[in-house]
């Protein structure tokens, strides 16, 4: 039915926010014969901008200067494809006293359905559902890294929201995430997809090599400004419409 109804629209043009989805659409029986473009989603760079007093905001929440803040959150964290169970297993491995060593972490989670480890060796803040952009900005802004263990995602907003604040991301090298994170520059990509141990090792590597890395934070913000600024995205859509007409 979809093929029948859409085949009568020869001028139909499909846009996707990720190259991953574009490649999927190109093999689709419904849209495979249509014109397809790739244009990233925009982000409000004024709302999601680096915190003016990041250190002060961290201190007000009880975060010590030597604590690496990990943040994780989705609308519903128990959804299998979001990888919450994998992150839980990764953190359980990481927060074993022998594995943890002298490293100090604070873990902040938001959304529903989370089941993070309860370890006496780390601080855990569970904030529930977040409806306010200003609160989300502060949470993502004070974080040292966003942990995003999703297995199936197109172009998740959390990564570009965090990126606009200068916060890098650790993600699996899968789906749309692999093109959103520049490995070693705006975060880390984990090659062994769905492997909790590999994700744990990436968190350790980030702590040991990029905790307090202001250069990485600047590069992360700069990439969001380059690719996700409303004016940039708007101009690409304008050019597309002009081409179609």
């Amino acid at each position: 039915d979809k093929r029948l109804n859409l085949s009568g629209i020869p001028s139909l043009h499909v846009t996707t926010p990720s190259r991953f989805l574009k490649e999927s659409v190109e093999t689709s029986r419904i849209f495979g014969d249509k014109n397809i473009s790739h244009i990233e989603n925009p982000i409000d760079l004024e709302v999601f901008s680096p915190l003016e007093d990041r250190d002060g905001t961290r201190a007000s929440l009880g975060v010590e200067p030597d604590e690496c803040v990990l943040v994780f959150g989705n609308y519903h964290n128990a959804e299998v494809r979001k990888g919450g169970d994998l992150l839980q297993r990764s953190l359980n491995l990481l927060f074993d006293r022998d594995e943890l060593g002298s490293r100090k972490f604070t873990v902040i989670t938001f959304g529903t359905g989370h089941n993070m480890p309860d370890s006496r060796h780390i601080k855990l803040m569970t904030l529930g559902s977040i409806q306010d952009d200003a609160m989300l900005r502060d949470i993502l802004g004070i974080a040292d890294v966003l942990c995003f263990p999703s297995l199936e995602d197109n172009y998740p907003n959390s990564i570009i929201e965090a990126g606009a604040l200068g916060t890098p991301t650790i993600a699996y090298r899968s789906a749309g995430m692999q093109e959103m994170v520049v490995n070693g520059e705006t975060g880390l990509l984990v090659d062994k997809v769905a492997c909790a141990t590999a994700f744990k090792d990436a968190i350790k590597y980030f702590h040991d090599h990029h905790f307090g890395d202001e250069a990485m934070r600047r590069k992360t913000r700069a990439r969001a400004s380059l690719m996700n600024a409303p004016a940039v995205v708007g101009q690409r859509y304008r050019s597309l419409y002009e081409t179609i007409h």
Side-chain angles (χ1 to χ4, degrees), residues 5 17 20 38 40 65 79 127 130 191 193 208 218-219 228:
N5 291 328
F20 157 75
H38 162 230
E40 289 85 357
E79 188 176 349
L127 302 180
I130 303 298
D191 290 324
V193 177
D208 296 348
R218 289 193 296 271
K219 288 179 181 179
N228 305 111

Side-chain angles (χ1 to χ4, degrees), residues 147-166:
C147 292
F148 203 86
S150 182
L151 302 175
E152 300 175 19
D153 247 310
N154 166 31
Y155 198 80
N157 283 341
S158 294
I159 294 180
I160 57 174
E161 289 166 347
L165 290 156

Side-chain angles (χ1 to χ4, degrees), residues 2-243:
K2 290 179 180 179
R3 292 181 66 193
L4 179 63
N5 291 328
L6 293 172
S7 63
I9 312 176
S11 62
L12 182 65
H13 196 110
V14 179
T15 63
T16 70
S18 68
R19 291 188 295 274
F20 157 75
L21 188 58
K22 181 177 184 291
E23 292 169 359
S24 298
V25 173
E26 288 171 343
T27 62
S28 165
R29 294 178 62 196
I30 299 173
F31 295 116
D33 62 341
K34 305 300 180 185
N35 293 314
I36 307 165
S37 297
H38 162 230
I39 301 177
E40 289 85 357
N41 284 338
I43 184 71
D44 190 329
L45 294 170
E46 294 184 4
V47 172
F48 293 94
S49 61
L51 303 181
E52 292 184 4
D53 185 12
R54 183 167 175 264
D55 291 339
T57 304
R58 286 165 63 97
S60 70
L61 292 173
V63 178
E64 301 293 335
D66 61 348
E67 291 174 350
C68 183
V69 178
L70 312 177
V71 66
F72 169 77
N74 290 288
Y75 175 74
H76 186 56
N77 294 305
E79 188 176 349
V80 174
R81 69 184 182 88
K82 290 293 185 179
D85 59 329
L86 286 166
L87 181 60
Q88 181 182 8
R89 284 154 49 195
S90 298
L91 295 181
N92 280 331
L93 292 170
L94 177 62
F95 297 149
D96 176 85
R97 170 48 70 189
D98 293 335
E99 185 82 18
L100 190 60
S102 61
R103 302 177 184 89
K104 295 181 180 180
F105 290 95
T106 291
V107 178
I108 301 177
T109 66
F110 63 90
T112 62
H114 36 60
N115 186 23
M116 291 294 104
D118 182 13
S119 171
R120 68 177 184 273
H121 303 308
I122 56 100
K123 293 178 182 176
L124 178 63
M125 302 181 192
T126 303
L127 302 180
S129 296
I130 303 298
Q131 306 295 331
D132 182 72
D133 279 348
M135 183 178 293
L136 181 61
R137 176 199 62 210
D138 287 349
I139 294 169
L140 295 175
I142 69 168
D144 291 292
V145 65
L146 170 68
C147 292
F148 203 86
S150 182
L151 302 175
E152 300 175 19
D153 247 310
N154 166 31
Y155 198 80
N157 283 341
S158 294
I159 294 180
I160 57 174
E161 289 166 347
L165 290 156
T167 300
T169 294
I170 298 175
Y172 285 117
R173 194 185 292 275
S174 66
M177 287 79 69
Q178 60 188 315
E179 62 196 71
M180 299 179 74
V181 178
V182 180
N183 190 45
E185 294 187 19
T186 66
L188 299 175
L189 288 173
V190 182
D191 290 324
K192 293 183 179 179
V193 177
C195 176
T197 300
F199 205 93
K200 176 263 297 180
D201 290 340
I203 296 174
K204 286 177 61 178
Y205 185 91
F206 180 90
H207 177 282
D208 296 348
H209 296 85
H210 296 295
F211 178 35
D213 187 344
E214 290 301 320
M216 175 175 277
R217 295 191 70 88
R218 289 193 296 271
K219 288 179 181 179
T220 303
R221 166 68 181 186
R223 191 165 193 268
S225 300
L226 176 66
M227 304 190 64
N228 305 111
V232 173
V233 175
Q235 182 55 51
R236 293 184 66 188
Y237 270 105
R238 179 172 182 168
S239 298
L240 175 61
Y241 276 110
E242 290 174 348
T243 301

